[in-house]
């Protein structure tokens, strides 16, 4: 069992309202910014998948599109963690929002004109993935700076994320086809503009100065040592590398490739709405339930995940599939709150950006591989066989999380 680290103290210069544990002025602004960005993020994969298929491009192009989106994110998020420490997370997040705004405007033009050149879309998706890599490290470290109740704030944010997952895919799925997908990108661009404005209005106090002579490589090494010293953290990341490559990575392109031809893009959008409704439920549960061993409770909740791919494999009706998606969304969100709270409350603020960057990079680095191989694997073995394999991997992932003592036994920092 890893040695517990005391909850990081907030910097004295960080203005957190004494009368509110969650809904401070800063958290309200951050909540609005994050919700706007999450809505845009939730629309992108479904909009791209539906737009490409609607424009007559093969299933493999969807997998490659997801790979171009995820690969820069996985490869550059470590750099984003270091830059967030150097230039402050807020500045980096604002810059990322502005880049995302520009890419969505450009993607709108590409879809309006018919996606004749896939390399243009792939390039823009790579830029979007790069911007996400610059934004993500600060998304974790900003939460404890804006609210005292970190788990409650994470629960609220995950509930907001759930609502955006509910609304974003529905909008993207209902506006199917290459031309209509362009309007989805216009809406996303406006949302990123709102996010940048709210982040600009945050008052987080002066950022601590970095030591003179600090170098990028030195900061990366320091972050690696901090990450490696927590066996519960790197244990989860190693396990999720297999999950990303064999289950999560192939899931979106294969699910779209099976569900859109069989049930139509509208049904696909509504099924993603059911998943979003489940994530709302999971977020609300995570606000109220505070298990002593959060990662163990989160792992048990992840037992719901195989229902997503296996429901597609079994050819269940749309209403039954919606129930599977609902339960899966609840389990995934409950895990994510338990995980995010564990990281944010057990890591000191001065290394949190880098630690978060390492854990994000490790957890998603194999997703582009899985997404890129989804098409060839589906052609060789059939999409349902690949999805069935992913469902089995999800079960093994839960078993591994529960079998690892440092993960299973990790206690809440306020659990005694």
């Amino acid at each position: 069992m890893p040695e517990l680290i005391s909850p990081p103290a907030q910097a004295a210069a960080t203005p957190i309202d004494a009368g509110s544990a969650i809904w401070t002025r800063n958290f309200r602004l951050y909540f609005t910014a994050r919700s706007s960005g999450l809505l845009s993020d939730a629309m992108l994969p479904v909009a791209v998948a539906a737009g490409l298929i609607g424009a007559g491009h093969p299933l493999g192009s969807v997998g490659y599109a997801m790979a171009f989106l995820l690969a820069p994110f996985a490869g550059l998020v470590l750099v984003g963690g270091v830059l967030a420490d150097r230039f402050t997370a807020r500045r980096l997040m604002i810059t990322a929002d502005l880049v995302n705004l520009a890419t969505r405007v450009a993607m709108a033009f590409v879809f309006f004109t018919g996606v004749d050149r896939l390399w243009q879309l792939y390039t823009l998706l790579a830029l979007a993935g790069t911007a996400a890599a610059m934004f993500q490290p600060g998304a974790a470290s900003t939460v404890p700076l804006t609210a005292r109740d970190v788990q409650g704030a994470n629960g609220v944010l995950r509930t907001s994320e759930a609502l955006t997952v509910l609304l974003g895919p529905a909008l993207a799925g209902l506006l199917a086809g290459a031309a209509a997908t362009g309007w989805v990108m216009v809406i996303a661009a406006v949302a990123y503009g709102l996010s940048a404005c709210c982040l600009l209005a945050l008052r987080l106090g002066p950022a601590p100065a970095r030591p003179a002579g600090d170098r990028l490589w030195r900061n990366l090494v320091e972050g690696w040592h901090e990450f490696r010293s927590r066996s519960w953290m790197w244990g989860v990341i190693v396990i999720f590398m297999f999950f990303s490559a064999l289950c999560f990575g192939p899931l979106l392109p294969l699910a779209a490739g099976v569900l859109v031809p069989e049930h139509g893009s509208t049904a696909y959008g509504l099924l993603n709405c059911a998943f979003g409704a489940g994530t709302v439920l999971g977020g609300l549960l995570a606000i109220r339930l505070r298990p002593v061993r959060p990662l163990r409770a989160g792992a048990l909740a992840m037992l719901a995940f195989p229902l997503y791919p296996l429901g597609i494999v079994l050819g269940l009706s749309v209403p039954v599939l919606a129930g599977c998606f609902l339960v899966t969304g609840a389990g995934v969100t409950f895990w994510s709150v338990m995980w995010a709270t564990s990281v944010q409350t057990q890591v000191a603020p001065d290394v949190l950006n880098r630690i978060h960057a390492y854990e994000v990079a490790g957890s998603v680095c194999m997703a582009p591989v899985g997404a890129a191989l989804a098409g060839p694997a589906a052609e060789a073995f059939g999409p349902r066989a690949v999805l069935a394999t992913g469902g089995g991997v999800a079960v093994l992932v839960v078993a591994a999380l529960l079998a690892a003592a440092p993960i299973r036994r990790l206690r809440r920092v306020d659990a005694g």
Side-chain angles (χ1 to χ4, degrees), residues 202-220:
L202 283 176
R203 299 173 185 168
L204 298 180
R210 299 297 300 166
D214 245 2
R215 298 182 182 276
L216 176 66
W217 178 249
R218 182 188 297 274
N219 282 306
L220 285 173

Side-chain angles (χ1 to χ4, degrees), residues 211-273:
D214 245 2
R215 298 182 182 276
L216 176 66
W217 178 249
R218 182 188 297 274
N219 282 306
L220 285 173
V221 171
E222 289 175 355
W224 169 251
H225 287 314
E226 293 286 344
F227 174 77
R228 190 181 62 179
S229 68
R230 295 164 172 85
S231 56
W232 60 271
M233 183 179 289
W234 62 256
V236 168
I237 298 309
V238 170
I239 292 169
F240 266 78
M241 289 176 69
F242 290 95
F243 176 76
S244 296
L246 301 176
C247 185
F248 176 74
L251 184 58
L252 178 64
L254 291 181
V258 172
L259 293 174
V260 171
E262 290 187 359
H263 302 290
S265 59
T266 299
Y268 178 56
L270 293 175
L271 285 171
N272 280 280
C273 284

